[in-house]
Amino acid sequence: MTGAVRPPGVERRRLLRQQRRRERLRNLWRLLVLLALSGGLGYALLRQGWSLTNPGQVEVVGSRQVGPEQVIQAAELSFPVSLLTLQPRRLAADLTAALPVEQVQVSRLMAPPRLRVVLVDRHAVARAQRVSNHGLEMGYVDRLGNWMSSRQGQNLDATLSSSLLVRGWTPRQRPSLALVLNFRQRLGDDLREIRFEPDGNLWLRSEKLGQVRLGPPDQQLPRRLDVLEHLVKELPTTIKGRQLQSIDLSDPEQPELGVVGGKPPKPAAP
């Protein structure tokens, strides 16, 4: 007795199903091999290709004061280190806080692997004092009124020709200080002191003008500085040779002058 013969259509469908299963298995094996190769190459790239192995792979651009050694020290880098573990934004913030720079941009470059740090130098324009948890601290300020520690300005002290001293610096006073520093050239080159008192009043001391009370550093500060600039131009004829001791601009519309030998008439505000 012979077995039943399957119809041609049934046998053909069975062969096609087997062929498709074999093809899926081959594709699965290809995918697994590709993933294994990609993982191995990625691991090798991370371990060898995208790693910093020596300080020569740290590039510092744009600064005359800060070099790779200072950047590496401030960023606390140790070699070897994977580039992927370095966070550019965090590094930029750390470097801005630790180095005498205004701006920092950090980039990770792959070919060849290196860390690129672009800096804009911060320039000290005056010496400064502030009260910290350890007592009176000496440092510097830049043109934007930012505090610079003695360590940050250690390479600037010899080149800083300014005799200006800022007393009573606090972070809250930084915008007002920046405004006065920007106005400095219009007030003359003999400004010797910018002082923030504990009661909130802002004072200037000039060899020609004496003590200048600007009052609280509020929204009227620009107006007070404009009046002071006007007085600087008019005072030689106003005081008629008498020695000027002080100027009170707490009310910019009614400035008061104090001179040796009596008070002159109140000058008109511009």
Side-chain angles (χ1 to χ4, degrees), residues 87-189:
Q87 302 177 24
R89 289 186 178 180
R90 182 175 179 180
L91 278 177
D94 292 343
L95 294 176
T96 301
L99 298 174
V101 293
E102 287 187 9
Q103 297 178 11
V104 179
Q105 182 179 357
V106 179
S107 304
R108 299 175 298 185
L109 304 179
M110 181 176 179
R114 61 197 186 277
L115 188 70
R116 184 179 179 89
V117 181
V118 180
L119 304 176
V120 176
D121 283 336
R122 181 188 299 174
H123 298 284
V125 298
R127 293 175 176 82
Q129 294 178 350
R130 69 176 179 179
V131 177
S132 67
N133 295 333
H134 304 288
L136 189 64
E137 180 183 357
M138 297 298 299
Y140 306 86
V141 291
D142 64 12
R143 64 181 181 87
L144 301 177
N146 295 307
W147 177 265
M148 300 172 62
S149 68
S150 297
R151 182 175 62 85
Q152 289 175 325
Q154 60 186 350
N155 297 325
L156 306 176
D157 189 62
T159 59
L160 184 62
S161 59
S162 172
S163 58
L164 177 62
L165 175 64
V166 178
R167 296 180 183 272
W169 184 95
T170 64
R172 184 170 56 88
Q173 308 292 7
R174 189 197 60 78
S176 302
L177 176 59
L179 182 61
V180 175
L181 290 172
N182 185 57
F183 215 87
R184 180 182 174 190
Q185 296 300 324
R186 297 162 63 179
L187 300 179
D189 57 1

Side-chain angles (χ1 to χ4, degrees), residues 193-260:
E193 185 177 277
I194 301 172
R195 185 172 76 253
F196 293 95
E197 293 286 356
D199 62 6
N201 280 305
L202 171 59
W203 289 77
L204 307 180
R205 181 173 62 82
S206 165
E207 291 184 357
K208 295 179 181 178
L209 304 177
Q211 297 285 342
V212 180
R213 182 187 180 190
L214 291 176
D218 53 20
Q219 66 275 9
Q220 289 199 73
L221 181 57
R223 170 60 177 163
R224 296 186 183 104
L225 290 173
D226 287 336
V227 173
L228 182 58
E229 181 186 14
H230 172 76
L231 294 179
V232 169
K233 297 176 181 178
E234 298 296 329
L235 278 178
T237 57
T238 302
I239 63 176
K240 298 180 180 179
R242 285 174 286 182
Q243 183 180 355
L244 184 65
Q245 287 184 324
S246 64
I247 301 177
D248 188 345
L249 290 173
S250 52
D251 181 356
E253 307 309 321
Q254 294 184 334
E256 296 183 2
L257 307 182
V259 298
V260 176

Side-chain angles (χ1 to χ4, degrees), residues 60-104:
V60 177
V61 181
S63 175
R64 295 183 178 181
Q65 305 168 8
V66 178
E69 292 183 1
Q70 290 170 280
V71 168
I72 291 170
Q73 182 179 4
E76 299 181 350
L77 294 179
S78 58
F79 303 96
V81 59
S82 171
L83 277 172
L84 289 182
T85 63
L86 302 179
Q87 302 177 24
R89 289 186 178 180
R90 182 175 179 180
L91 278 177
D94 292 343
L95 294 176
T96 301
L99 298 174
V101 293
E102 287 187 9
Q103 297 178 11
V104 179

